[in-house]
């Protein structure tokens, strides 16, 4: 148990319930501890309790990272509910037994101040029987601190109502610690108006724990005044107040951002990667949105709390720094938090080490976090072993993640079974995760059902996943409806997926719009898809731009080659990704500029990839350069793939060589393949060759 070094209130009384809780954070009640053993530390460093923040699982298959964790944020209030304790401790440490003896002599002689100090010293030591007469004596003489401390003693003995009476006496006399204790007493009994009155009295006197307890009460009511008192306590060095103030500021900034920006073959994609873990709970990262000032202020308070040893503040601070790219400092705070026992920080540190290439050290921290029940880390270990081919070990860790309450464990087990062609088991795990609300598992389950010939069973799972936000599922629904010729419905789902950044969906929308003549909108979607890496989108965008510009004329003698146009740049991007038609087109544009070397490069790349047009054009280029033998080889390949012009070229080549029978054979092939113009020329040539043969 870790305590702050603040000086003020009472004993170890747990935190009170809050009725209204932010979705990412709920508080856990603790009752007043009954045993005196629990109060040994609380006289000087009081209460400790915990709050639990529930984070949504996740990461979907697209980004291969994810997982659900429960964030347990400690609330540490250090207190010295015993007034005069600091003085007693200071004097006792200086002179030891001699100082205590001096106070005892003076107290026995009736000195009120010494009775109060001696009573506080004995109370802190746990000697309740010895402390009580001195505290009662000092209280009878009107000593305010003794009245507060007598309340502490009686509370420890199990007489809360009598304790409240003495706290009231001390609080009326101006004791901020007693007012705080009295406020906590009333709140525990459900008398919130009285609790608020006394806590406000304490807070307004500058008592850090009074301010913190008042903020907690107000936050329970969703009162905006909570921020003011959290800030007051944090400014006095209360680390839990600093942490909760940072959380409040971050949530407010996030909510403001959401108000401005909004919340957000048959080859359906399922995601081939397991979901290892998400490094922090939802909402833990730095805030994106218009209120950067509050987000920055939140970071400052996280830093203050973390510097005082608050492990969850260190975790949140590490997450902010990591997202900002300050990985070294983020790792330092993660390490501090992890060493203090925060499993999620150990998991996040593992990811930093993995990204830096140190998988062995990452595995050590993941193991530590997983053994502490972190499902994220268990998933990460499962993914690590799966990548090494250690399927049984991977399955064990995925099961551990599932046992830790992480639904991604079931999804990853499904992926593992699917990769081993254990379809029945994969369906079982996908179904389990899908019923638990895992959208990518629902999508994967639908794909399995569709592949098994059950489109009726697949459709509702695709719909559930898409409605839950799965972009892949929305795209797959588009495929499903397109297969039924329900083009309008298919386009709606493609548009939905495209709006969420799905590259292939944007391509489908762009092509549909092109088909309907809506070129401007089509261009926008094609640019999105091409920018996302779609070679087909880049090719079609280039074709759209190409159609708008006049054909270039041949370069004049002595003039430099013209610069590449935007459409050629898009053709080249598609060509570099292996798009054969784009490679042919880039070669043609290069040839039109007189760049024979570049044209030959792209024609050859297309031809070697199986493009008959690339092979034909490469043959033309080689023939012009005098390499008719190699040209014939490429024309032969093109003609074998159904290229009529290549067959006609081979016929002409055979005729020039005097191979009339061979020429006739290629003429017949050209007539068969077409197109009409080629078939007509080939027929005339065949007739001429026939006459030559029969002459």
């Amino acid at each position: 148990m870790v305590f702050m070094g603040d000086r003020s209130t009472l004993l170890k009384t747990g935190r009170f319930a809050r009725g209204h809780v932010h979705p990412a954070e709920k508080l856990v009640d603790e009752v007043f501890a009954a045993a005196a053993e629990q109060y040994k530390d609380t006289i000087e460093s009081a209460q400790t309790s915990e709050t639990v923040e529930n984070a949504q699982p996740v990461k979907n298959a697209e980004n291969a990272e994810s997982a659900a964790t429960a964030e347990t944020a400690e609330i540490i209030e250090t207190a010295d509910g015993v007034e005069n304790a600091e003085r007693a401790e200071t004097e006792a440490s200086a002179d030891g037994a001699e100082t205590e003896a001096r106070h005892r002599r003076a107290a026995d002689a009736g000195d009120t101040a010494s009775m109060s100090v001696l009573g506080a010293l004995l109370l802190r030591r746990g000697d309740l029987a010895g402390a009580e007469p001195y505290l009662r004596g000092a209280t009878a003489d009107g000593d305010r601190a003794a009245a507060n401390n007598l309340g502490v003693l009686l509370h420890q003995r199990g007489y809360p109502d009598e304790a409240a009476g003495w706290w009231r006496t001390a609080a009326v006399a101006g004791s901020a610690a007693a007012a705080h204790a009295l406020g906590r007493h009333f709140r525990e009994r459900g008398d919130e108006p009285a609790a608020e009155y006394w806590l406000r009295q304490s807070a307004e006197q500058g008592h850090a724990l009074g301010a913190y307890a008042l903020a907690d009460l107000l936050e329970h009511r969703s009162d905006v005044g909570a921020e003011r008192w959290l800030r007051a306590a944090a400014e006095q060095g209360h680390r839990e107040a600093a942490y909760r103030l940072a959380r409040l500021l971050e949530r407010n900034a996030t909510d403001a951002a959401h108000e401005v920006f909004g919340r957000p073959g048959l080859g359906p994609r399922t995601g081939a990667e397991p979901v290892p873990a998400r490094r922090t709970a939802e909402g833990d990262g730095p805030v994106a949105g218009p209120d950067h000032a509050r987000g920055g202020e939140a970071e400052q308070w996280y830093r203050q709390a973390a510097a005082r040893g608050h492990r969850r503040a260190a975790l949140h601070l590490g997450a902010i720094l990591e997202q900002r790219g300050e990985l070294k400092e983020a790792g330092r705070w993660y390490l501090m938090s992890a060493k203090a026992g925060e499993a999620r920080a150990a998991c996040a540190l593992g990811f930093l080490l993995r990204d830096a290439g140190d998988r062995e050290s990452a595995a050590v921290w993941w193991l530590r976090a997983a053994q502490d029940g972190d499902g994220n880390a268990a998933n990460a270990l499962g993914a690590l072993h799966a990548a090494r081919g250690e399927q049984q070990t991977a399955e064990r860790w995925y099961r551990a993640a599932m046992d830790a309450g992480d639904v991604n464990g079931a999804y990853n087990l499904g992926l593992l079974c699917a990769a081993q062609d254990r379809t029945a088991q994969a369906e079982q795990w996908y179904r389990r995760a899908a019923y638990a609300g895992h959208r990518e598992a629902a999508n994967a389950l639908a794909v399995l059902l569709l592949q098994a010939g059950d489109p009726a069973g697949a459709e509702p799972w695709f719909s559930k996943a898409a409605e839950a936000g799965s972009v892949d599922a929305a795209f797959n629904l588009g495929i499903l409806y397109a297969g039924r010729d329900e083009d309008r419905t298919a386009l709606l789902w493609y548009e939905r997926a495209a709006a969420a950044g799905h590259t292939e969906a944007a391509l489908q929308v762009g092509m549909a719009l092109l088909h309907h003549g809506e070129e401007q909108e089509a261009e926008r979607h094609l640019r999105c898809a091409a920018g996302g890496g779609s070679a087909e989108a880049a090719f079609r965008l280039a074709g759209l731009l190409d159609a708008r510009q006049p054909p270039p004329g041949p370069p004049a003698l002595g003039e430099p080659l013209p610069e590449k146009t935007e459409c050629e740049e898009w053709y080249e991007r598609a060509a570099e990704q292996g798009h054969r038609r784009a490679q042919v087109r880039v070669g043609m544009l290069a040839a039109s500029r007189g760049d024979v070397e570049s044209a030959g490069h792209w024609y050859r790349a297309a031809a070697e990839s199986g493009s008959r047009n690339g092979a034909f054009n490469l043959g033309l280029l080689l023939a012009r350069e005098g390499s008719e033998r190699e040209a014939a080889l490429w024309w032969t390949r093109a003609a074998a793939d159904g290229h009529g012009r290549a067959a006609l070229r081979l016929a002409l080549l055979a005729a020039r060589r005097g191979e009339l029978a061979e020429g006739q054979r290629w003429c017949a092939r050209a007539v068969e393949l077409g197109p009409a113009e080629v078939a007509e020329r080939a027929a005339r040539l065949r007739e001429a060759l026939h006459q030559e043969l029969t002459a």
Side-chain angles (χ1 to χ4, degrees), residues 660 686-695:
L660 304 183
R686 182 175 60 179
E687 181 62 29
L689 292 175
H690 176 70
Q691 291 176 2
E692 185 71 23
L693 282 170
T694 57

Side-chain angles (χ1 to χ4, degrees), residues 5-130:
D6 306 1
R7 299 228 172 251
S8 32
T9 98
L10 167 80
L11 24 109
K12 182 170 182 175
T13 59
R15 278 186 45 90
F16 295 101
R18 296 195 311 171
H20 172 77
V21 187
H22 187 273
E25 184 175 20
K26 70 175 184 179
L27 300 179
V28 173
D29 299 341
E30 289 186 3
V31 296
F32 280 103
E37 204 48 39
Q38 291 178 291
Y39 294 108
K40 286 184 177 178
D41 293 328
T42 59
I43 295 170
E44 180 173 8
S45 30
Q47 81 189 38
T48 304
S49 56
E50 294 193 345
T51 151
V52 177
E53 297 183 355
N54 292 326
Q56 247 349 72
V58 256
K59 189 74 179 143
N60 54 28
E62 297 160 10
N63 20 32
E65 197 188 59
S66 101
T69 62
E71 176 186 356
T72 306
E74 62 185 5
I75 292 189
I76 301 176
E77 292 185 9
T78 23
D80 187 22
V82 181
E83 295 196 50
N84 279 337
E86 186 172 3
R87 176 182 168 192
E89 180 186 12
T90 303
E91 294 185 1
S93 62
D95 303 316
E98 182 182 345
T99 301
E100 182 180 341
R102 187 175 70 249
H103 278 301
R104 191 178 294 276
R105 287 193 299 270
D108 290 342
D111 182 77
T112 301
S114 291
M115 284 192 288
S116 181
V117 171
L118 182 60
L121 179 61
L122 294 171
L123 180 57
R124 291 198 49 210
R125 188 183 297 166
D127 184 359
L128 305 187

Side-chain angles (χ1 to χ4, degrees), residues 118-247:
L118 182 60
L121 179 61
L122 294 171
L123 180 57
R124 291 198 49 210
R125 188 183 297 166
D127 184 359
L128 305 187
E132 184 172 356
Y134 289 110
L135 291 176
R136 287 190 180 276
T139 300
D141 289 341
D143 188 276
R144 184 188 74 185
N148 174 68
N149 295 343
L150 181 57
V152 173
L153 184 148
L154 291 167
H155 196 286
Q156 290 188 19
R157 281 190 164 173
Y159 302 105
D161 293 332
E162 189 178 351
W166 289 113
W167 282 331
R168 183 185 294 274
T169 299
V172 169
S175 169
H180 170 250
L182 191 57
R184 297 293 296 264
H185 170 82
F186 280 118
R187 187 173 180 194
E188 186 184 56
R189 276 153 180 72
D191 188 351
E192 290 195 358
E196 182 179 353
Y197 174 82
W198 289 110
L199 291 176
R200 195 174 292 276
Q201 294 296 315
S202 176
E204 288 175 349
Q205 292 180 62
H207 192 279
L209 287 174
Y212 177 78
L214 176 60
D216 187 62
L217 176 62
L218 294 174
E219 193 174 35
H220 156 65
R221 299 175 180 172
S222 301
D223 190 318
V224 292
E227 181 180 337
R228 171 195 171 191
W229 293 110
L230 279 176
R231 191 180 298 276
E235 287 171 350
Q236 294 179 67
H238 191 297
R239 71 177 184 181
E240 183 61 28
Y243 170 73
R244 288 184 62 185
L245 176 60
R247 297 287 291 136

Side-chain angles (χ1 to χ4, degrees), residues 443-464:
N443 178 56
L445 174 60
V447 170
L448 276 188
L449 294 171
L450 195 59
Q451 290 172 341
D454 184 9
E459 184 177 347
W461 286 112
F462 277 141
S463 296
K464 286 179 185 293

